[in-house]
Amino acid sequence: IPVATNPCGNISFTIPGVLNEDQGIARLDWNISARNNVFFRYFATDYRAPVAFDPTNILPQGQTASQFSRFQTLAVGNTFSFNSGIVNSFHLTGTRLAINRGPSTQMINPADVGINIPSPIPNGLVLGISSGYFSTGGGSQMPGHFINNLFQIADDVDILRGRQQFSFGVNFMKMQLNYLSTFQSNGQFTFGGAFSGDNLADFMLGTPSVYVQGNPEAENWRYTYFGLYFHDNVKVTRKLTLNAGIRWEPYWPSRDAMHRGSHFDYNDFINNVHSTVFPTAPAGLTYCGDPNTPCSFANNKLLDFSPRIGLIWDPTGHGTFTVRSGYGLFYDSPEMYFFDRYADNSPYGSAVSLTKPTGGLTNPYLGQTVPPFPLPFPTAGSTNAFFPTNGVYINNGFDMHPMYAQNWNMSIEKQFGANWMVSATYLGSKTTHIWAAYEANPGLDVPVPANALAGCTPGQAPSTSNTNCRRSLYVANPTVGQFFSNLTSAWDGANAEYDGLLLSTRHRFSDNFTLLANGTWSHCISDADFAGELTNSRPTLYPSPVNAPDFANLALDRGNCGFDVRRNANISLVVNSPKMDGFAGRILNNWQLAPLITYRSGLYFTALTGVDTGLTGATTSFKDRPNQIGDPFSGSCANGAAVGTRNCWFNTAAFTAPAAGTFGDVGRDSISGPDAFQFDAAISRKFAVTEGKELQFRFEAFNILNHPILGNPNASENSASFGLIQSQIGDGRTFQGALKFLF
């Protein structure tokens, strides 16, 4: 790492970017007859972004990785008209996305710098000093490949009979997700200020707060989707149209082709019930092949039906005043990637998580058995499958429900004159069974138990250095509980509600211009936001003696959605130059100007302590929040800057860390970030070259005013930049031009 050359100690560096992309498309349209046509489409794109290695500065390696991606899609379709009232559409689609990533081949690994751990990957060092300092590599910079395959068959039939239109169809998809990631193969070191109170000082002392290492994460997910629908549209009268339909979407959970994953049951843990597939597994764990354990670790849901109904009413019958209303229930097709960490569960991933490792950075396994990573793939019935102490697991209940949303709306549209239209629309929705997570094996705020095993000090007061000695399972049974650290579990009980008012006006193209303007006022509230994968968890309270989460406590986290945008407005205008004759026409004709103005209010975020003040050892820093002792939106910061500015977005003195072993009272997503405004424009002109040939010129400017769209401020109380905005979203002023020749 280079030495800073300025008195503040800051290091600025540039990340070289080399991006190349090639795209190609092939298409075929065949009109077999007036009633029968076939189309064929093939599209492919290659994306290459190599990363350079600087032997004098390792920091750029912590920000990006080399990437080569190839995406291909093939689509074949047939439309056949049996007669004027019956049309059938058939589609066959296949897609493949293959991504290969990794650091430079010159990147160092832990063994190169004297860290005494297994380092099976030649190039890769994952070490992070958070709170505004630096990192060398990361999980997404380590070598890996990711392949998505999808095959789809769909058929739709439309039947017209007088005032009625019937539609029905079927959709079938097979999906695969195959990947290998070495994100923790060489270990991951996190320095969080647990020893000195400062993250960088901890790094200089060589005292990481957390160390994690495990097998490469390899998964081969398989998912099948099937949908069958029927829809009916009836023009009841000249003024009223009704439509209704229903869709059947049975849910078959995705599963790993190699049967990776496990299920944890607390009652089996207490009753010392062991797996028959892996007899040496700790009590409480079962696997694919064990009695009453489905290989997808979730049960099928075959009775998922989605009704929808709507109406269109024209009170006057003149087509200038319309009332529309509708309701629908829509199931989500769950992401295969949500359970990707199943591959980390022992004995497949066999990840080890050490809090404040005794040997520090130099020898984190000091005093412990060093796992011989990478471990061989375990086979069913094996008696030598490896189960480390302090193992990391993810888990979910068998009765997980797919998420679904109920949407309803009502709009009023009124036309004024020949070209103006205004509308007001109410939008509402409720989302049920949002997938979230909780820590099912938290560190309890109790002394280390008297029957603690070697490596734990009986009676020791709770601290971040003895988290694994105070975890719920360890306190219940140290002999078996020592094999578990984080047990991140899925929770499908979160809900969300959204209400919005959309106002819009538009002028269709006439008098050489068209205009569209709209604005939305809305509010979204949820118990939790869907995070994309089952890794980050929240602490919960556990009543004794039954280890069941207090889900009511999880629901107390209810607050603004992370994507809640209260106000949103857009104005777009397209103006054509009027037609002129003679010399003036040659200069001024065929010009088009298209400005676009966008605005949105700020995105919400949560104030954090940045450290494990709750002493739970949960897997994400958002768990620990400060207490609010003042108004964060008034006054000024300690640096003298006024609230609402880049150097003081909120009053940092309004927050204070809670006492050790307790949780703060700050609500989730209770602070709003900066608003966003952008002005773009495009100008173009057509030039007639000869008959049948035309030249088109287009010039575009994005963010003409060069107005920065600021990101949210640093929200961690333990950071020196707490409350400061240090990032921006999007680019500065950008210009681009294009020429197109048509012949």
Side-chain angles (χ1 to χ4, degrees):
I1 297 173
V3 176
T5 58
N6 65 56
C8 296
N10 293 333
I11 297 174
S12 297
F13 58 92
T14 300
I15 304 173
V18 180
L19 309 177
N20 293 282
E21 186 169 9
D22 298 307
Q23 297 183 353
I25 187 169
R27 56 179 290 174
L28 172 67
D29 294 280
W30 181 21
N31 293 319
I32 301 174
S33 69
R35 298 165 49 193
N36 190 11
N37 65 76
V38 175
F39 75 82
F40 167 91
R41 300 285 187 274
Y42 173 76
F43 174 78
T45 178
D46 281 355
Y47 176 81
R48 300 176 302 281
V51 61
F53 180 80
D54 183 354
T56 67
N57 185 359
I58 200 175
L59 297 181
Q61 290 287 324
Q63 317 302 317
T64 187
S66 296
Q67 180 177 315
F68 172 75
S69 303
R70 173 171 292 170
F71 175 75
Q72 303 173 82
T73 179
L74 172 68
V76 179
N78 172 251
T79 302
F80 184 81
S81 300
F82 291 93
N83 53 48
S84 60
I86 303 178
V87 179
N88 184 84
S89 297
F90 172 80
H91 297 274
L92 180 67
T93 306
T95 65
R96 178 179 173 85
L97 171 62
I99 301 174
N100 291 280
R101 68 148 198 237
S104 166
T105 56
Q106 297 175 275
M107 180 63 179
I108 60 176
N109 72 9
D112 294 331
V113 290
I115 300 175
N116 187 20
I117 60 173
S119 301
I121 307 302
N123 315 107
L125 172 64
V126 183
L127 185 150
I129 302 95
S130 55
S131 300
Y133 291 116
F134 65 87
S135 62
T136 63
S140 59
Q141 279 83 54
M142 292 292 286
H145 66 258
F146 309 84
I147 301 173
N148 279 276
N149 297 319
L150 180 146
F151 173 75
Q152 178 186 26
I153 298 177
D155 193 76
D156 302 277
V157 179
D158 289 291
I159 303 175
L160 294 173
R161 288 290 185 269
R163 294 182 174 185
Q164 201 163 9
Q165 178 183 357
F166 300 96
S167 301
F168 60 89
V170 62
N171 189 7
F172 174 81
M173 288 185 284
K174 293 285 290 186
M175 286 166 270
Q176 297 180 346
L177 174 59
N178 303 311
Y179 73 84
L180 173 69
S181 173
T182 60
F183 75 103
Q184 59 186 10
S185 296
N186 281 4
Q188 295 182 329
F189 295 91
T190 301
F191 295 85
F195 291 86
S196 68
D198 183 89
N199 299 3
L200 184 61
D202 276 11
F203 170 66
M204 300 301 291
L205 292 170
T207 52
S209 53
V210 178
Y211 171 71
V212 178
Q213 188 172 16
N215 260 11
E217 186 178 82
E219 302 197 29
N220 303 92
W221 287 101
R222 303 293 182 264
Y223 179 59
T224 299
Y225 168 86
F226 177 81
L228 185 67
Y229 76 91
F230 173 81
H231 188 83
D232 189 13
N233 192 75
V234 184
K235 193 172 182 63
V236 181
T237 68
R238 186 172 62 88
K239 298 181 180 181
L240 179 64
T241 299
L242 297 178
N243 58 75
I246 192 167
R247 189 177 188 93
W248 177 45
E249 294 178 306
Y251 171 53
W252 292 290
S254 55
R255 64 179 61 192
D256 182 75
M258 303 298 291
H259 299 155
R260 301 177 184 91
S262 64
H263 176 74
F264 176 81
D265 183 89
Y266 183 73
N267 291 325
D268 287 348
F269 171 84
I270 291 297
N271 295 320
N272 199 34
V273 176
H274 287 264
S275 167
T276 60
V277 176
F278 294 111
T280 57
L285 290 174
T286 57
Y287 295 83
C288 172
D290 278 318
N292 303 316
T293 302
C295 290
S296 59
F297 305 103
N299 296 323
N300 299 332
K301 302 292 181 182
L302 302 181
L303 299 179
D304 289 347
F305 291 92
S306 305
R308 63 277 320 264
I309 188 170
L311 66 84
I312 305 172
W313 179 39
D314 181 0
T316 65
H318 298 146
T320 59
F321 181 42
T322 305
V323 178
R324 303 172 187 267
S325 183
Y327 166 85
L329 187 151
F330 306 90
Y331 279 95
D332 179 48
S333 181
E335 295 183 11
M336 290 185 288
Y337 194 73
F338 184 76
F339 294 110
D340 80 305
R341 304 293 178 178
Y342 265 145
D344 298 339
N345 287 6
S346 297
Y348 303 104
S350 298
V352 176
S353 177
L354 303 178
T355 302
K356 289 188 174 180
T358 304
L361 177 61
T362 303
N363 188 10
Y365 288 112
L366 182 66
Q368 304 207 26
T369 301
V370 181
F373 292 120
L375 303 169
F377 189 87
T379 57
S382 172
T383 58
N384 59 357
F386 180 73
F387 293 89
T389 56
N390 303 310
V392 178
Y393 296 85
I394 69 165
N395 190 52
N396 65 273
F398 292 150
D399 201 35
M400 290 284 289
H401 297 79
M403 291 179 278
Y404 68 86
Q406 300 176 77
N407 298 338
W408 53 91
N409 63 80
M410 182 174 182
S411 68
I412 299 175
E413 293 183 345
K414 182 70 174 71
Q415 181 177 328
F416 294 94
N419 302 313
W420 286 94
M421 175 76 76
V422 297
S423 67
T425 304
Y426 164 72
L427 304 167
S429 73
K430 181 180 187 300
T431 306
T432 305
H433 293 306
I434 297 175
W435 288 5
Y438 65 94
E439 175 54 62
N441 189 30
L444 304 179
D445 187 25
V446 297
V448 176
N451 59 342
L453 305 179
C456 297
T457 304
Q460 190 177 44
S463 70
T464 55
S465 62
N466 58 23
T467 301
N468 289 337
C469 303
R470 298 179 293 102
R471 291 192 180 271
S472 176
L473 299 181
Y474 190 95
V475 172
N477 184 342
T479 302
V480 184
Q482 66 175 324
F483 291 97
F484 298 91
S485 58
N486 293 110
L487 181 59
T488 305
S489 297
W491 176 52
D492 66 354
N495 299 291
E497 289 85 37
Y498 171 90
D499 293 283
L501 175 64
L502 170 63
L503 302 175
S504 67
T505 182
R506 56 186 179 273
H507 178 275
R508 63 184 178 186
F509 195 81
S510 67
D511 301 323
N512 293 315
F513 81 96
T514 181
L515 171 71
L516 175 62
N518 59 65
T520 304
W521 180 87
S522 64
H523 191 193
C524 180
I525 303 175
S526 66
D527 302 319
D529 292 333
F530 181 71
E533 61 175 323
L534 183 57
T535 53
N536 293 332
S537 61
R538 295 179 291 176
T540 61
L541 303 178
Y542 291 83
S544 180
V546 179
N547 188 16
D550 180 2
F551 290 121
N553 184 38
L554 289 174
L556 291 176
D557 214 16
R558 191 169 179 80
N560 297 315
C561 300
F563 50 86
D564 184 30
V565 178
R566 300 290 177 88
R567 301 176 303 279
N568 202 328
N570 305 275
I571 301 175
S572 63
L573 177 68
V574 178
V575 180
N576 282 356
S577 60
K579 298 295 182 181
M580 298 183 181
D581 297 325
F583 180 77
R586 295 181 182 180
I587 303 293
L588 301 176
N589 285 351
N590 299 320
W591 286 94
Q592 186 179 86
L593 176 66
L596 172 63
I597 299 173
T598 60
Y599 163 81
R600 66 158 175 80
S601 56
L603 301 174
Y604 284 86
F605 63 94
T606 308
L608 310 170
T609 64
V611 295
D612 188 9
T613 52
L615 305 180
T616 64
T619 58
T620 180
S621 60
F622 87 81
K623 62 190 179 295
D624 293 317
R625 305 174 193 166
N627 287 317
Q628 186 170 326
I629 58 175
D631 182 3
F633 307 109
S634 64
S636 59
C637 293
N639 59 12
V643 167
T645 60
R646 184 179 63 82
N647 290 319
C648 177
W649 185 252
F650 57 87
N651 187 352
T652 56
F655 302 98
T656 184
T662 64
F663 304 102
D665 59 12
V666 168
R668 179 177 64 88
D669 292 329
S670 57
I671 307 176
S672 176
D675 295 352
F677 172 84
Q678 185 159 324
F679 177 40
D680 306 327
I683 187 170
S684 61
R685 189 186 178 185
K686 301 176 182 178
F687 298 89
V689 180
T690 61
E691 184 177 357
K693 297 180 177 62
E694 182 181 84
L695 184 67
Q696 293 182 0
F697 162 78
R698 183 176 181 85
F699 181 77
E700 297 173 321
F702 301 95
N703 195 5
I704 294 175
L705 303 179
N706 206 25
H707 182 74
I709 301 176
L710 300 177
N712 283 341
N714 187 314
S716 294
E717 189 184 26
N718 69 329
S719 170
S721 55
F722 184 44
L724 275 63
I725 295 176
Q726 298 178 308
S727 65
Q728 71 176 46
I729 303 172
D731 299 321
R733 184 188 294 123
T734 305
F735 301 107
Q736 69 180 30
L739 282 174
K740 181 186 290 185
F741 181 61
L742 291 89
F743 59 94

